[in-house]
Structures are given as C-alpha cells and as structure tokens.
Amino acid sequence: MLLLIAEDFIKVEKISTVLPYYEELVEKTRQEPGCISYELTKDLKNEGHFIFLERWVNEDALTFHTKTEHFKRLVPLIDQHISEKAKYTRMEIIY
C-alpha cells in the first residue's frame, strides 16, 4: 500500500479561490479505483499550508489518478495560487 503526503502552500488571500477546486478534487478522487482514502487537511498554525494524506493500493493507482481529467484540469488552477512549490513524500505502509 502506498501513502502519499502532498503539501500545498497557497497564498492566504487566494484560499477562498482554491477551496472549491480542492473540494471537487477530493470528491472525484475518492471515487477512483485504487483510492483507499484521500483527505485534505489544513495547518492550524500556517493558514495557507494544506496537506493531502492519500492512500493508494499501489503506484499504478496513483499514476492513474494523475492522468484523470479532474486532476489535469484542477491542479493547474490550484497551482496558479501557490506561495511556494508543493512537496511530495511517497511512503510505503508496512503495517
């Protein structure tokens, strides 16, 4: 099983613009085959810091996700409002 931790850093003044994109991304991604869970969290100390906690059955499921219509459409819209480059950490769940 694969865990992806994806960190986004959004300009504070653009959070209200980005939230509907996030909502659609989460809703549609949770319906994808191979998605075990897909949660968006926000940092309580840094208002523009968001973390996706994603569980996938395997790397192929994650690759499929990055090729979906909603991912290819929404991520560039979100990325227009970043304050710093996103960070990604791939982890293997062992227990």
Side-chain angles (χ1 to χ4, degrees):
M1 191 180 322
L2 177 69
L3 171 68
L4 180 71
I5 302 166
E7 297 184 66
D8 273 358
F9 303 89
I10 303 299
K11 295 174 187 169
V12 173
E13 66 274 13
K14 295 297 182 176
I15 292 172
S16 62
T17 301
V18 170
L19 285 177
Y21 302 146
Y22 278 157
E23 182 178 13
E24 182 180 353
L25 183 61
V26 169
E27 179 183 316
K28 291 185 175 176
T29 299
R30 286 178 175 168
Q31 298 172 22
E32 291 175 28
C35 177
I36 297 168
S37 66
Y38 195 82
E39 297 177 7
L40 177 61
T41 64
K42 66 178 183 174
D43 188 327
L44 295 175
K45 293 184 180 179
N46 180 353
E47 192 175 355
H49 184 203
F50 295 87
I51 298 177
F52 286 92
L53 300 172
E54 308 176 23
R55 288 180 185 235
W56 300 95
V57 294
N58 56 31
E59 189 72 35
D60 290 341
L62 177 57
T63 299
F64 174 85
H65 166 62
T66 63
K67 294 178 180 181
T68 60
E69 179 280 330
H70 57 273
F71 183 91
K72 292 192 297 186
R73 176 174 48 83
L74 293 167
V75 170
L77 293 172
I78 293 164
D79 286 350
Q80 292 178 26
H81 305 291
I82 61 171
S83 60
E84 64 182 86
K85 188 177 176 180
K87 297 179 184 176
Y88 304 95
T89 305
R90 281 179 161 75
M91 309 287 288
E92 180 180 9
I93 298 173
I94 56 174
Y95 296 111

